[in-house]
Amino acid sequence: PVAEFSFDEEMLCQESTVIFTDITWNGEVTNRNWTFEGGDPATSGEEIVEVTFGNSGVFDVTLSVSNDYGNDEIAKEEVITVIDTYLGYQVPAVEGFEDEGFPENTSDITESWTLENDGAAHWQYTNTAAYTGDGCIWLKNNLNADDVVNSMISPNFNVRGYVLDTISFQLAFARKTESSGGHLVVYMSDDCGKSWKKRYDKSGSAL
């Protein structure tokens, strides 16, 4: 057998659940063992398992499978992110992207960002331009093929006691050619990334 598994959530709030499914191929599984770091249950032998994560953090998941012909194991590191909604940015908040360690915040790890990278060019820190201060984040998107998506996910914003009226940001965009697309979309989530609501969407000359 060749071990593999899927899961329905990768970012969630504390005390939320994730459903893991064994999708091992190339042979029937006669024995399996899951290990869920930070999860309840911590281990299981079932094909489909619902796991609750009570504490915040970033957790690994491992699946071991076997039959009469052999065995295999797959370990996926840092695949589940559980957010403590009391941590992160305390509003009102301003992010100037002055930390050269971006996406990691070197002074407060709970204010670090998460990058989902694809293609040849990704979001990164630069001190060659800034609206204020010395730094910003940029993406040299002309190096990427069409339909390549690069995402930045902010840390949690603790909005307890506030009505969140506005989120604003500064941007600059230049088209490589008249036909260059370029597409920037901003989403917000109020359930730790389980669902997202579109708040900004511009592309091409409109961007």
Side-chain angles (χ1 to χ4, degrees):
V2 179
E4 184 58 277
F5 64 87
S6 63
F7 44 97
D8 66 339
E9 304 289 348
E10 60 184 47
M11 295 184 67
L12 55 149
C13 300
Q14 290 174 277
E15 302 300 335
S16 296
T17 59
V18 181
I19 297 175
F20 293 89
T21 303
D22 179 357
I23 54 173
T24 295
W25 56 282
N26 203 45
E28 181 181 358
V29 175
T30 55
N31 293 285
R32 73 172 54 82
N33 183 56
W34 294 93
T35 302
F36 304 105
E37 181 187 18
D40 180 18
T43 62
S44 176
E46 301 297 320
E47 181 179 1
I48 300 175
V49 192
E50 186 173 301
V51 182
T52 301
F53 291 87
N55 297 317
S56 62
V58 182
F59 301 110
D60 305 341
V61 177
T62 302
L63 173 63
S64 301
V65 295
S66 66
N67 60 22
D68 291 340
Y69 299 96
N71 59 77
D72 193 28
E73 179 178 286
I74 183 169
K76 298 187 180 183
E77 298 181 349
E78 300 183 349
V79 292
I80 302 298
T81 300
V82 183
I83 297 171
D84 184 337
T85 58
Y86 283 90
L87 300 180
Y89 292 123
Q90 306 299 310
V91 296
V94 175
E95 174 57 76
F97 298 108
E98 294 297 297
D99 193 330
E100 295 185 19
F102 177 85
E104 180 180 334
N105 186 307
T106 54
S107 60
D108 185 349
I109 194 68
T110 69
E111 294 186 2
S112 295
W113 289 59
T114 301
L115 301 185
E116 295 181 348
N117 296 330
D118 194 10
H122 313 135
W123 289 106
Q124 63 186 55
Y125 168 87
T126 179
N127 60 7
T128 59
Y131 180 77
T132 59
D134 298 316
C136 72
I137 46 176
W138 80 313
L139 173 63
K140 195 170 176 61
N141 199 43
N142 65 292
L143 298 179
N144 289 331
D146 291 345
D147 300 322
V148 167
V149 177
N150 282 277
S151 300
M152 298 184 301
I153 304 174
S154 78
N156 180 67
F157 285 80
N158 182 359
V159 297
R160 288 174 176 84
Y162 286 86
V163 176
L164 192 61
D165 294 318
T166 303
I167 291 180
S168 60
F169 55 93
Q170 305 292 337
L171 69 90
F173 172 69
R175 304 175 76 181
K176 185 75 173 181
T177 68
E178 286 297 318
S179 61
S180 297
H183 192 186
L184 179 65
V185 187
V186 179
Y187 298 90
M188 290 180 61
S189 173
D190 57 11
D191 56 9
C192 302
K194 188 172 184 177
S195 62
W196 297 89
K197 302 169 185 176
K198 187 184 294 185
R199 308 301 298 168
Y200 179 94
D201 185 346
K202 289 188 178 183
S203 60
S205 59
L207 181 62

